[in-house]
Amino acid sequence: MGLHTLRLATAPMTFSTFSSRLFLKPFPNTLLSLFPRHVQPRKPFLVRAFSASSAVQDIPATQASDSSAARPQWKAAIDFKWIRDNKEAIEINIKNRNSNANLEAVLELYENMINLQKEVEGLREERNNVAKKMKGKLEPSERQKLVEEGKNLKESLVTLEEDLVKLRDELQLVAQSIPNMTHPDVPVGGEDSSAIRKEDHLQLGKDLDLIDFDSAAEVSGSKFFYLKNEAVLLEMALLNWTLSEVMKKGFTPLTTPEIVRSSIVEKCGFQPRGDNTQVYSIDGTDQCLIGTAEIPIGGIHMDSILLESALPLKYIAFSHCFRTEAGAAGAATKGLYRVHQFSKAEMFVLCRPEDSETFHDELIQIEEDLFTSLGLHFKTLDMATADLGAPAYRKFDIEAWMPGLGRFGEISSASNCTDYQSRRLGIRYRPSEPLQADSKKGKMNLPAPKFVHTLNATACAVPRMMVCLLENYQQEDGSVVIPEPLRPFMGGIELIKPKLR
């Protein structure tokens, strides 16, 4: 049973809502980060902690890499010494997250690499000493002896250097499966997936002639759907309204590619070809369909150094998303709740490390404001360790009441990934500090670049928003009221009425 922290918003029958927050004292700045650039967090929430049901995680945590795999195509900037020095904390973190990352293999490979590196350096020193001796006056026999010694040293060195490269590659592959560290306030545990299921929105979709699952199943397979009539307008209204509201907060709108390279998926912390992956891979290519716009947005600034004055970078991206939903079963396998293709508006922020906690709060507040405006009854959960994907340092999910499920269902999440993704994607910024004088060389040095922190949050996942709206705004006569903020985006339609048969 998962331990979650809740922040609640309630809605009376008039659909007006409010959010309640309690601000508690700050916690100490003694945080650990696998890829350290420590944030200075604040403790903004909580009401109380207890066991609660939670939606199934959308994309699984990165799984341990096969140590016999080929040379890595990309390399995260991993602090191996920090891993070794914080073994106990990382071990606990891996266990709490229910991750299959192999810390012992990482530490063993790292120790072997250090020892081999020392051996290589020793041989290089010996070879240099031989080279120095050969510069002096020597008897022919002595010189020949040194030539043979140098040749043997060179051959041994070539072999050891090759072994060192292979060992470094193997270490990199195994270590890249270790998840980010976890915010100290994140509850420890898993999720409670038991629930009673009703399918109200399915019947509503048929009665109002809004959704066609049967035809989509014939054309594409299960978990696909056609939207029809007012449902098409409702999808566009949700997206346009969301974009307009979020842009008021200073976010730049984007549409993204929906096919990306597998390496970008991996660098963002997801496993494109592991067991039970949620990612659709394209056969014969190194490309995948995106499961979230977070992935192509993260790739925009890959391998770049940004100016500190350009931060924060705040994006709101529209995309279609594709998920295999491998292993999905139980409470919500039918209807719109869990589908293979859907539209989504995703927020993404790149910022300085010391600002990421503040922007995490901002993203959560935007989500809550949006759902409050639509009159939804929701709760905000501080997700437990086993429900965090590999990139997330801390993640808050928002669950709204869904009568058809008989419980709250996930409609959005907001994650602070600290510098986990930026170290893998190579996204840094140049601090705006005065130039430092180099007394030895007489030059002015630029301040060293630092890794940014990345954050992401769902502004609107269309199918689950439709579930909420159809089921919560249905009337006794079978019609569905359109929430007031969406009406201008639907040509003034206020009510979806049953169709005459």
Side-chain angles (χ1 to χ4, degrees):
M1 182 158 295
L3 184 64
H4 302 300
T5 296
L6 301 186
R7 182 171 56 196
L8 301 178
T10 60
M13 293 306 292
T14 58
F15 300 106
S16 62
T17 63
F18 67 93
S19 296
S20 61
R21 294 191 178 194
L22 296 183
F23 289 81
L24 307 182
K25 64 181 181 180
F27 52 76
N29 295 322
T30 53
L31 308 182
L32 296 177
S33 173
L34 176 60
F35 303 102
R37 288 294 184 273
H38 302 318
V39 296
Q40 301 298 323
R42 296 181 293 108
K43 186 173 183 179
F45 324 107
L46 183 68
V47 184
R48 59 194 174 103
F50 69 98
S51 298
S53 61
S54 168
V56 175
Q57 185 176 316
D58 284 332
I59 299 182
T62 303
Q63 300 176 348
S65 301
D66 183 351
S67 61
S68 63
R71 187 171 186 178
Q73 295 180 352
W74 56 274
K75 294 183 180 180
I78 300 174
D79 191 338
F80 292 106
K81 183 178 182 299
W82 191 91
I83 294 175
R84 183 189 63 188
D85 294 345
N86 294 276
K87 173 186 175 182
E88 184 177 344
I90 296 171
E91 206 164 37
I92 293 170
N93 185 59
I94 289 173
K95 181 180 179 181
N96 288 345
R97 284 175 173 262
N98 198 26
S99 169
N100 58 3
N102 193 338
L103 179 60
E104 290 300 324
V106 172
L107 295 174
E108 182 180 348
L109 287 168
Y110 180 55
E111 193 65 30
N112 292 343
M113 187 193 74
I114 290 175
N115 294 334
L116 185 55
Q117 199 163 302
K118 289 178 180 177
E119 194 173 345
V120 167
E121 290 170 355
L123 279 182
R124 286 173 179 165
E125 188 174 352
E126 285 185 51
R127 190 180 66 173
N128 290 338
N129 290 336
V130 169
K132 289 178 182 178
K133 291 178 182 179
M134 291 183 66
K135 291 179 180 179
K137 293 182 179 180
L138 299 169
E139 295 293 330
S141 60
E142 184 67 20
R143 181 174 293 278
Q144 183 59 35
K145 182 180 178 181
L146 289 174
V147 169
E148 289 297 323
E149 185 178 355
K151 181 180 179 182
N152 292 335
L153 286 170
K154 181 180 179 181
E155 291 175 352
S156 298
L157 188 58
V158 168
T159 300
L160 287 182
E161 285 175 338
E162 290 176 351
D163 291 342
L164 183 59
V165 168
K166 292 177 182 177
L167 191 56
R168 282 174 175 163
D169 288 344
E170 186 175 359
L171 171 61
Q172 188 74 27
L173 280 170
V174 177
Q176 285 176 177
S177 69
I178 296 179
N180 197 358
M181 291 301 288
T182 308
H183 191 290
D185 278 2
V186 172
V188 176
E191 66 175 1
D192 177 12
S193 59
S194 61
I196 300 173
R197 177 167 59 87
K198 297 180 181 178
E199 298 177 346
D200 286 18
H201 78 276
L202 286 171
Q203 191 61 48
L204 282 166
K206 291 179 180 178
D207 292 345
L208 299 175
D209 198 20
L210 300 177
I211 312 167
D212 186 346
F213 289 101
D214 295 336
S215 297
E218 294 293 327
V219 172
S220 302
S222 63
K223 298 182 183 177
F224 288 93
F225 59 93
Y226 287 98
L227 293 182
K228 302 168 64 178
N229 300 313
E230 293 94 339
V232 178
L233 301 180
L234 183 57
E235 175 176 35
M236 301 304 175
L238 279 166
L239 291 168
N240 284 321
W241 173 73
T242 300
L243 287 170
S244 66
E245 291 298 306
V246 177
M247 285 169 62
K248 294 175 185 177
K249 307 294 184 180
F251 285 70
T252 300
L254 292 176
T255 59
T256 73
E258 293 169 359
I259 295 176
V260 297
R261 300 186 189 280
S262 300
S263 60
I264 307 301
V265 179
E266 293 173 358
K267 289 178 183 181
C268 286
F270 307 119
Q271 186 70 16
R273 290 182 170 83
D275 294 336
N276 291 324
T277 181
Q278 300 285 17
V279 180
Y280 280 108
S281 295
I282 302 174
D283 286 345
T285 75
D286 68 341
Q287 296 173 313
C288 304
L289 300 180
I290 65 169
T292 170
E294 168 192 349
I295 295 169
I297 303 175
I300 291 178
H301 299 289
M302 182 173 61
D303 299 325
S304 62
I305 299 178
L306 307 168
L307 294 176
E308 183 175 13
S309 59
L311 299 178
L313 292 173
K314 301 160 68 176
Y315 296 111
I316 173 71
F318 163 75
S319 74
H320 296 99
C321 302
F322 305 86
R323 300 183 184 180
T324 66
E325 296 297 350
T333 56
K334 293 182 180 180
L336 290 173
Y337 189 82
R338 196 173 299 284
V339 292
H340 289 313
Q341 176 186 332
F342 58 95
S343 301
K344 182 159 72 85
E346 182 80 2
M347 296 180 287
F348 194 90
V349 175
L350 301 95
C351 67
R352 301 183 306 169
E354 59 266 35
D355 297 332
S356 65
E357 284 282 333
T358 299
F359 283 113
H360 201 189
D361 284 353
E362 179 181 333
L363 291 172
I364 296 165
Q365 186 63 62
I366 290 172
E367 289 177 324
E368 292 181 337
D369 289 346
L370 290 171
F371 304 142
T372 297
S373 296
L374 293 177
L376 301 182
H377 179 193
F378 63 85
K379 60 184 179 181
T380 301
L381 299 88
D382 188 351
M383 299 306 292
T385 51
D387 288 332
L388 299 182
Y393 173 65
R394 196 178 195 183
K395 180 166 79 88
F396 286 84
D397 280 3
I398 295 182
E399 296 186 349
W401 179 250
M402 298 181 180
L405 290 177
R407 63 171 173 84
F408 288 87
E410 181 191 338
I411 57 173
S412 73
S413 65
S415 298
N416 183 355
C417 298
T418 60
D419 57 359
Y420 187 85
Q421 292 176 326
S422 63
R423 282 178 171 267
R424 300 155 76 92
L425 290 162
I427 308 174
R428 297 178 291 170
Y429 73 98
R430 182 85 62 186
S432 301
E433 299 172 1
L435 297 178
Q436 302 294 321
D438 188 330
S439 57
K440 294 183 179 180
K441 298 183 179 180
K443 296 180 179 179
M444 299 298 286
N445 293 330
L446 291 171
K450 300 178 181 180
F451 288 99
V452 302
H453 278 195
T454 62
L455 304 96
N456 63 83
T458 307
C460 177
V462 169
R464 293 190 182 182
M465 292 300 294
M466 283 196 171
V467 172
C468 291
L469 298 180
L470 291 176
E471 293 184 353
N472 285 291
Y473 278 94
Q474 60 180 301
Q475 306 298 299
E476 289 186 6
D477 63 358
S479 63
V480 172
V481 174
I482 301 297
E484 196 167 323
L486 301 180
R487 293 174 187 174
F489 297 89
M490 291 194 62
I493 295 176
E494 299 181 5
L495 191 70
I496 302 176
K497 300 177 181 180
K499 307 296 185 293
L500 296 175
R501 297 290 182 180

